[in-house]
């Protein structure tokens, strides 16, 4: 089992920055493939960013590419999402997730086995 605990959400004005953290505990071998997702009210959950700390592969949602950066500190078993130049349309509940095995695309929420509790990010114009 893997437990994921998120922190770092909040409210910010457009153009500002926030950093989300996701600390993993338990069977952390399963946290080599980590993703960040978000879900706004009335919308489907969408993949925002992905990191495979073994291969170094990164993926980003097109609308956040160049503004968001995903990284992972293996010593701390923590994955981060640095969010810069935030826009009102980035407002959503953000979740980190761990994929225990190969399979599914990086932004396929169904293929992730473990989820954090969610952290609200609100960007005002």
């Amino acid at each position: 089992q893997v437990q994921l605990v998120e922190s770092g959400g909040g409210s910010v004005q457009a153009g500002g920055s926030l950093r989300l953290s996701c600390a993993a505990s338990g069977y952390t071998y399963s946290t080599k493939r980590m993703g960040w997702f978000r879900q706004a009210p009335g919308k489907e959950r969408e993949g925002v960013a992905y990191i495979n700390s073994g291969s170094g592969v990164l993926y980003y949602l097109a609308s956040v590419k160049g503004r968001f950066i995903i990284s992972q500190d293996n010593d701390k078993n923590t994955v981060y999402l640095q969010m810069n130049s935030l826009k009102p349309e980035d407002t959503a509940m953000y979740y980190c997730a761990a994929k225990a095995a190969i399979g599914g695309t990086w932004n396929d929420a169904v293929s992730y086995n473990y989820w954090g509790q969610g952290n609200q990010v609100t960007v005002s114009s």
Side-chain angles (χ1 to χ4, degrees):
Q1 286 289 332
V2 174
Q3 294 79 43
L4 302 175
V5 178
E6 301 174 33
S7 60
S11 298
V12 66
Q13 288 193 325
S17 297
L18 285 172
R19 188 177 80 158
L20 301 178
S21 300
C22 176
S25 60
Y27 190 55
T28 55
Y29 179 79
S30 295
T31 59
K32 186 172 70 172
R33 305 172 189 86
M34 299 291 295
W36 284 98
F37 288 76
R38 68 185 182 188
Q39 188 166 19
K43 294 188 176 180
E44 290 188 358
R45 188 169 297 193
E46 63 179 355
V48 176
Y50 168 87
I51 184 168
N52 182 320
S53 61
S55 65
V57 169
L58 305 176
Y59 291 115
Y60 291 97
L61 180 69
S63 61
V64 308
K65 205 168 185 179
R67 300 188 297 122
F68 290 12
I69 301 171
I70 187 170
S71 62
Q72 189 166 10
D73 184 333
N74 290 323
D75 290 339
K76 296 181 179 179
N77 293 318
T78 300
V79 64
Y80 303 97
L81 185 68
Q82 177 66 43
M83 303 182 292
N84 301 318
S85 302
L86 282 160
K87 304 175 181 180
E89 51 263 44
D90 295 318
T91 295
M93 185 74 78
Y94 282 72
Y95 300 88
C96 67
K99 185 193 285 269
I102 298 172
T105 59
W106 73 270
N107 55 355
D108 179 9
V110 175
S111 65
Y112 286 77
N113 305 90
Y114 306 101
W115 290 84
Q117 80 279 10
N119 232 345
Q120 180 67 37
V121 171
T122 302
V123 185
S124 58
S125 57

